[in-house]
Amino acid sequence: MNRETYFASLPDNEICEAMMEKVDAYYTFLQRSGLMQLWKNSYKAYYNSEIVSGEITASGAQNEYRNLNVNHLRSVLTNLKSMIAQQMIVFDAKATNTDVKSAEQTILANSLLDYYIKEKELPENVDDALESAIVISEGWLCSTWNVQGGDLRIQQRNRSPDL
């Protein structure tokens, strides 16, 4: 693949290979930069109480000590998450132009945002992304658009007769 060619503009039979190259390069970057180990350590520290599942273990030369895992890190980070997410994020689309078409698109964008907030559980997904960002320093959210979704009667009515 030519470095100047955007991978999604490649022919269908080459896109998958180009995407896998990007994934491999990303994982190589994570390994070389030390981020992968950092994320593993952070994840283990955050979820350690679930990993050990409240088990009391013995230690010492003659097992004379009893160990109980108390996850202070999770408590602190959960409180941080609560403070950050105290108020729900408010999305509001704004047009950069003042023409009628841009104003109409802004109304549509706000309607789509309302739909995703109410029907597609956007606040819960944002909450999960926030938790990931707190634990491993990266969080992301991806919502896909189903072009086949919606009322089939409307789709069929809008279909041209030659299809």
Side-chain angles (χ1 to χ4, degrees):
M1 175 176 81
N2 183 352
R3 251 177 128 46
E4 295 175 15
T5 305
Y6 180 55
F7 80 97
S9 66
L10 293 171
D12 292 348
N13 59 341
E14 296 177 24
I15 287 179
C16 205
E17 183 180 339
M19 287 175 49
M20 289 311 298
E21 286 176 11
K22 289 190 169 293
V23 169
D24 289 342
Y26 180 67
Y27 280 115
T28 301
F29 162 74
L30 291 179
Q31 292 288 344
R32 288 185 180 158
S33 67
L35 276 175
M36 182 66 80
Q37 192 59 48
L38 174 68
W39 289 354
K40 286 179 180 180
N41 293 342
S42 297
Y43 185 89
K44 184 177 180 191
Y46 187 75
Y47 291 105
N48 195 34
S49 57
E50 292 177 16
I51 293 169
V52 233
S53 46
E55 196 175 305
I56 298 175
T57 58
S59 66
Q62 299 173 337
N63 287 334
E64 68 270 22
Y65 301 116
R66 297 291 176 248
N67 306 315
L68 175 64
N69 185 357
V70 178
N71 195 341
H72 294 293
L73 177 68
R74 186 175 183 126
S75 175
V76 170
L77 294 183
T78 302
N79 286 332
L80 175 64
K81 179 181 156 191
S82 295
M83 288 190 295
I84 293 171
Q86 208 167 28
Q87 282 187 298
M88 191 176 87
I89 298 172
V90 177
F91 296 100
D92 188 25
K94 301 276 186 202
T96 54
N97 299 330
T98 56
D99 59 288
V100 175
K101 186 175 182 181
S102 296
E104 289 172 353
Q105 289 173 341
T106 302
I107 293 169
L108 175 63
N110 282 321
S111 298
L112 285 171
L113 285 168
D114 287 341
Y115 170 76
Y116 271 88
I117 288 169
K118 292 175 186 162
E119 300 296 326
K120 296 295 185 182
E121 300 173 344
L122 183 65
E124 291 83 0
N125 293 329
V126 168
D127 197 54
D128 291 343
L130 172 61
E131 184 173 15
S132 176
I134 290 171
V135 175
I136 64 167
S137 76
E138 278 194 20
W140 55 92
L141 179 65
C142 176
S143 291
T144 57
W145 183 263
N146 182 359
V147 294
Q148 300 299 320
D151 190 347
L152 288 175
R153 292 172 295 173
I154 293 172
Q155 289 179 3
Q156 290 172 350
R157 191 176 334 124
N158 291 335
R159 188 175 292 175
S160 61
D162 59 328
L163 292 178

